[in-house]
mmCIF file of all heavy atoms in Angstrom:
data_model
loop_
_atom_site.group_PDB
_atom_site.id
_atom_site.type_symbol
_atom_site.label_atom_id
_atom_site.label_comp_id
_atom_site.label_asym_id
_atom_site.label_seq_id
_atom_site.Cartn_x
_atom_site.Cartn_y
_atom_site.Cartn_z
ATOM 1 N N VAL U 254 15.229 7.817 -50.333
ATOM 2 C CA VAL U 254 15.205 8.670 -51.522
ATOM 3 C C VAL U 254 14.885 10.121 -51.137
ATOM 4 O O VAL U 254 15.518 11.062 -51.625
ATOM 5 C CB VAL U 254 14.181 8.137 -52.540
ATOM 6 C CG1 VAL U 254 13.967 9.135 -53.678
ATOM 7 C CG2 VAL U 254 14.643 6.791 -53.097
ATOM 8 N N ARG U 255 13.923 10.299 -50.261
ATOM 9 C CA ARG U 255 13.573 11.661 -49.851
ATOM 10 C C ARG U 255 14.717 12.324 -49.079
ATOM 11 O O ARG U 255 14.914 13.538 -49.164
ATOM 12 C CB ARG U 255 12.284 11.666 -49.031
ATOM 13 C CG ARG U 255 11.089 11.167 -49.834
ATOM 14 C CD ARG U 255 9.779 11.790 -49.380
ATOM 15 N NE ARG U 255 9.690 13.192 -49.762
ATOM 16 C CZ ARG U 255 8.654 13.985 -49.479
ATOM 17 N NH1 ARG U 255 7.630 13.490 -48.796
ATOM 18 N NH2 ARG U 255 8.635 15.248 -49.849
ATOM 19 N N SER U 256 15.504 11.527 -48.366
ATOM 20 C CA SER U 256 16.665 12.078 -47.665
ATOM 21 C C SER U 256 17.729 12.540 -48.658
ATOM 22 O O SER U 256 18.386 13.565 -48.451
ATOM 23 C CB SER U 256 17.245 11.039 -46.705
ATOM 24 O OG SER U 256 16.331 10.746 -45.664
ATOM 25 N N VAL U 257 17.920 11.775 -49.738
ATOM 26 C CA VAL U 257 18.830 12.211 -50.802
ATOM 27 C C VAL U 257 18.330 13.524 -51.400
ATOM 28 O O VAL U 257 19.111 14.463 -51.628
ATOM 29 C CB VAL U 257 18.952 11.118 -51.890
ATOM 30 C CG1 VAL U 257 19.726 11.649 -53.099
ATOM 31 C CG2 VAL U 257 19.639 9.880 -51.330
ATOM 32 N N ALA U 258 17.027 13.601 -51.666
ATOM 33 C CA ALA U 258 16.453 14.846 -52.192
ATOM 34 C C ALA U 258 16.656 15.997 -51.205
ATOM 35 O O ALA U 258 16.978 17.127 -51.603
ATOM 36 C CB ALA U 258 14.961 14.648 -52.471
ATOM 37 N N ASN U 259 16.495 15.712 -49.918
ATOM 38 C CA ASN U 259 16.677 16.751 -48.891
ATOM 39 C C ASN U 259 18.072 17.363 -48.941
ATOM 40 O O ASN U 259 18.239 18.589 -48.945
ATOM 41 C CB ASN U 259 16.454 16.155 -47.491
ATOM 42 C CG ASN U 259 15.001 15.910 -47.155
ATOM 43 O OD1 ASN U 259 14.100 16.480 -47.771
ATOM 44 N ND2 ASN U 259 14.758 15.055 -46.176
ATOM 45 N N ILE U 260 19.097 16.514 -48.969
ATOM 46 C CA ILE U 260 20.464 17.045 -48.881
ATOM 47 C C ILE U 260 20.822 17.822 -50.149
ATOM 48 O O ILE U 260 21.528 18.836 -50.086
ATOM 49 C CB ILE U 260 21.484 15.931 -48.572
ATOM 50 C CG1 ILE U 260 22.835 16.546 -48.133
ATOM 51 C CG2 ILE U 260 21.670 14.980 -49.733
ATOM 52 C CD1 ILE U 260 23.802 15.528 -47.542
ATOM 53 N N GLN U 261 20.286 17.396 -51.293
ATOM 54 C CA GLN U 261 20.587 18.131 -52.519
ATOM 55 C C GLN U 261 19.849 19.475 -52.572
ATOM 56 O O GLN U 261 20.398 20.463 -53.085
ATOM 57 C CB GLN U 261 20.268 17.281 -53.750
ATOM 58 C CG GLN U 261 21.269 16.143 -53.976
ATOM 59 C CD GLN U 261 22.681 16.649 -54.248
ATOM 60 O OE1 GLN U 261 23.379 17.117 -53.339
ATOM 61 N NE2 GLN U 261 23.101 16.583 -55.496
ATOM 62 N N MET U 262 18.650 19.540 -52.041
ATOM 63 C CA MET U 262 17.976 20.851 -51.941
ATOM 64 C C MET U 262 18.687 21.734 -50.922
ATOM 65 O O MET U 262 18.831 22.948 -51.138
ATOM 66 C CB MET U 262 16.501 20.655 -51.556
ATOM 67 C CG MET U 262 15.636 20.127 -52.686
ATOM 68 S SD MET U 262 13.853 20.193 -52.336
ATOM 69 C CE MET U 262 13.695 18.900 -51.104
ATOM 70 N N LEU U 263 19.132 21.149 -49.825
ATOM 71 C CA LEU U 263 19.859 21.906 -48.803
ATOM 72 C C LEU U 263 21.094 22.572 -49.396
ATOM 73 O O LEU U 263 21.423 23.724 -49.080
ATOM 74 C CB LEU U 263 20.260 20.968 -47.663
ATOM 75 C CG LEU U 263 20.994 21.598 -46.470
ATOM 76 C CD1 LEU U 263 20.031 22.412 -45.618
ATOM 77 C CD2 LEU U 263 21.672 20.518 -45.625
ATOM 78 N N LEU U 264 21.763 21.851 -50.303
ATOM 79 C CA LEU U 264 22.997 22.363 -50.908
ATOM 80 C C LEU U 264 22.743 23.172 -52.178
ATOM 81 O O LEU U 264 23.689 23.721 -52.765
ATOM 82 C CB LEU U 264 23.925 21.182 -51.236
ATOM 83 C CG LEU U 264 24.489 20.429 -50.021
ATOM 84 C CD1 LEU U 264 25.091 19.089 -50.453
ATOM 85 C CD2 LEU U 264 25.543 21.283 -49.303
ATOM 86 N N GLY U 265 21.492 23.245 -52.627
ATOM 87 C CA GLY U 265 21.193 23.954 -53.871
ATOM 88 C C GLY U 265 21.706 23.229 -55.098
ATOM 89 O O GLY U 265 21.920 23.838 -56.153
ATOM 90 N N ASN U 266 21.868 21.925 -54.984
ATOM 91 C CA ASN U 266 22.474 21.139 -56.064
ATOM 92 C C ASN U 266 21.423 20.557 -57.000
ATOM 93 O O ASN U 266 21.357 19.345 -57.228
ATOM 94 C CB ASN U 266 23.306 19.998 -55.464
ATOM 95 C CG ASN U 266 24.732 20.412 -55.173
ATOM 96 O OD1 ASN U 266 25.280 21.271 -55.853
ATOM 97 N ND2 ASN U 266 25.327 19.796 -54.165
ATOM 98 N N LEU U 267 20.591 21.402 -57.572
ATOM 99 C CA LEU U 267 19.570 20.947 -58.508
ATOM 100 C C LEU U 267 19.380 21.997 -59.601
ATOM 101 O O LEU U 267 19.571 23.190 -59.367
ATOM 102 C CB LEU U 267 18.250 20.673 -57.789
ATOM 103 C CG LEU U 267 18.274 19.435 -56.885
ATOM 104 C CD1 LEU U 267 17.266 19.544 -55.763
ATOM 105 C CD2 LEU U 267 18.017 18.170 -57.709
ATOM 106 N N GLY U 268 19.018 21.518 -60.791
ATOM 107 C CA GLY U 268 18.677 22.428 -61.876
ATOM 108 C C GLY U 268 19.848 23.004 -62.631
ATOM 109 O O GLY U 268 19.688 23.959 -63.383
ATOM 110 N N LYS U 269 21.037 22.443 -62.466
ATOM 111 C CA LYS U 269 22.219 22.962 -63.164
ATOM 112 C C LYS U 269 23.139 21.805 -63.538
ATOM 113 O O LYS U 269 23.084 20.730 -62.922
ATOM 114 C CB LYS U 269 22.951 23.975 -62.282
ATOM 115 C CG LYS U 269 23.495 23.402 -60.991
ATOM 116 C CD LYS U 269 23.955 24.475 -60.008
ATOM 117 C CE LYS U 269 22.797 25.045 -59.243
ATOM 118 N NZ LYS U 269 23.180 25.761 -58.013
ATOM 119 N N PRO U 270 24.001 21.976 -64.539
ATOM 120 C CA PRO U 270 24.927 20.905 -64.912
ATOM 121 C C PRO U 270 25.830 20.516 -63.744
ATOM 122 O O PRO U 270 26.214 21.359 -62.933
ATOM 123 C CB PRO U 270 25.752 21.524 -66.049
ATOM 124 C CG PRO U 270 24.890 22.616 -66.599
ATOM 125 C CD PRO U 270 24.110 23.145 -65.427
ATOM 126 N N GLY U 271 26.139 19.233 -63.663
ATOM 127 C CA GLY U 271 27.032 18.761 -62.606
ATOM 128 C C GLY U 271 26.379 18.608 -61.258
ATOM 129 O O GLY U 271 27.046 18.285 -60.271
ATOM 130 N N SER U 272 25.076 18.826 -61.182
ATOM 131 C CA SER U 272 24.363 18.694 -59.906
ATOM 132 C C SER U 272 23.354 17.559 -60.041
ATOM 133 O O SER U 272 23.421 16.752 -60.947
ATOM 134 C CB SER U 272 23.666 20.017 -59.559
ATOM 135 O OG SER U 272 22.567 20.253 -60.430
ATOM 136 N N GLY U 273 22.409 17.485 -59.102
ATOM 137 C CA GLY U 273 21.273 16.608 -59.284
ATOM 138 C C GLY U 273 21.237 15.361 -58.428
ATOM 139 O O GLY U 273 22.171 15.029 -57.708
#
Side-chain angles (χ1 to χ4, degrees):
V254 170
R255 297 210 72 181
S256 294
V257 171
N259 285 341
I260 194 168
Q261 287 297 74
M262 286 191 289
L263 182 74
L264 293 166
N266 272 330
L267 289 154
K269 63 192 81 162
S272 71

